[in-house]
């Protein structure tokens, strides 16, 4: 399992007061991939640029796809650009793989067949591992979850990420999620204004 898969399981399992936006989660999943690639030494950061490091591709299929998609020409790709490019529809890609692996199922409500299916996580070693990382207050997991609105109930001092490259990625994820929310709000205002014009016509 990877940090991205663990994050998705946590997003489904942890009661955080409301559904996490798929766009927000896709950006966070792309950030989680980049952090795992840094940990595997498949990439390094040159400033805010993601530079391939020449190590073997990860065994995980989606993480290997992420490594294969790296921009390999100087000046490479910024962390921000990586999040937006790699994050496109990444939520759907991860849910599909977890369903294929038997880690995730969708349950439809009987009386409302048209309603969106509710996702549930199978009781497995993968689920236990993800929830253990959450309960253990792992700084990276907590920071990624917080970026998409999942707050823990930790009472101790907030764990601190000490790796500069990881800290840069986490900050970029937070900024990207905030930017996406700004875009959503602007569209909402524009749609409301358009609706008001039609009402007044």
């Amino acid at each position: 399992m990877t940090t991205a898969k663990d994050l998705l399981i946590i997003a489904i399992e942890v009661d955080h007061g409301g559904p996490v936006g798929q766009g927000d989660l896709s950006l966070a999943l792309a950030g989680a991939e980049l952090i795992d690639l840094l940990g595997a030494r498949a990439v390094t950061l040159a400033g805010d640029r993601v530079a391939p490091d020449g190590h073997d591709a990860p065994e995980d299929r989606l993480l290997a796809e992420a490594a294969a998609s790296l921009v390999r020409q100087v000046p490479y790709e910024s962390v921000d650009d990586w999040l937006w490019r790699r994050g496109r529809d990444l939520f759907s890609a991860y849910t599909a793989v977890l369903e294929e692996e038997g880690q995730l199922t969708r349950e439809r409500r009987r009386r409302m067949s048209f309603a969106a299916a509710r996702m549930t996580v199978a009781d497995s070693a993968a689920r236990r591992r993800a929830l253990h990382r959450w309960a253990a207050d792992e700084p990276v997991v907590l920071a990624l979850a917080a970026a998409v609105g999942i707050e823990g109930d930790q009472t101790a001092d907030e764990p601190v990420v000490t790796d500069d490259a990881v800290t840069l990625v986490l900050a970029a994820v937070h900024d990207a999620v905030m930017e996406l929310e700004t875009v959503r709000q602007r569209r909402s205002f524009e749609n409301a204004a358009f609706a008001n014009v039609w009402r007044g016509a």
Side-chain angles (χ1 to χ4, degrees):
M1 295 293 285
T2 63
T3 299
K5 288 180 178 177
D6 289 345
L7 177 63
L8 180 55
I9 289 173
I10 289 166
I12 295 169
E13 283 284 295
V14 175
D15 183 8
H16 44 81
V20 177
Q22 293 186 14
D24 296 350
L25 198 46
S26 289
L27 290 167
L29 291 170
E33 286 185 335
L34 190 51
I35 289 169
D36 278 353
L37 291 174
L38 284 165
R41 296 191 299 169
V43 301
T44 58
L45 292 189
D48 71 337
R49 300 281 165 172
V50 182
D53 205 8
H55 283 72
D56 292 339
E59 293 183 4
D60 179 82
R61 186 205 319 175
L62 285 171
L63 206 54
E65 288 178 7
S69 75
L70 290 165
V71 173
R72 299 182 182 276
Q73 291 79 34
V74 176
Y76 304 118
E77 185 174 36
S78 70
V79 172
D80 189 55
D81 287 344
W82 161 271
L83 294 177
W84 289 103
R85 178 181 62 80
R86 177 62 186 168
R88 188 183 300 275
D89 297 325
L90 202 55
F91 171 85
S92 297
Y94 269 91
T95 53
V97 167
L98 285 180
E99 283 186 275
E100 182 182 315
E101 293 175 351
Q103 305 290 345
L104 191 63
T105 58
R106 296 177 188 263
E107 296 179 352
R108 290 194 177 276
R109 297 175 184 174
R110 293 180 181 177
R111 296 184 181 181
M112 299 176 66
S113 59
F114 57 86
R118 178 177 177 271
M119 290 184 290
T120 58
V121 182
D123 185 12
S124 64
R127 176 181 177 275
R128 290 189 291 274
R129 176 182 181 274
L131 294 181
H132 174 74
R133 294 184 72 182
W134 174 252
D137 297 352
E138 282 199 21
V140 168
V141 171
L142 291 181
L144 287 168
V148 297
I150 306 172
E151 300 289 347
D153 56 0
Q154 293 77 10
T155 56
D157 292 338
E158 183 177 345
V160 177
V161 176
T162 57
D163 185 288
D164 289 342
V166 173
T167 299
L168 190 153
V169 173
L170 291 172
V173 169
H174 181 270
D175 290 346
V177 170
M178 294 293 289
E179 183 179 346
L180 183 58
E181 178 58 25
T182 299
V183 171
R184 284 198 198 101
Q185 290 180 2
R186 186 173 66 246
R187 287 179 178 170
S188 177
F189 293 147
E190 290 171 350
N191 290 339
F194 184 75
N196 288 335
V197 168
W198 276 105
R199 285 194 203 98

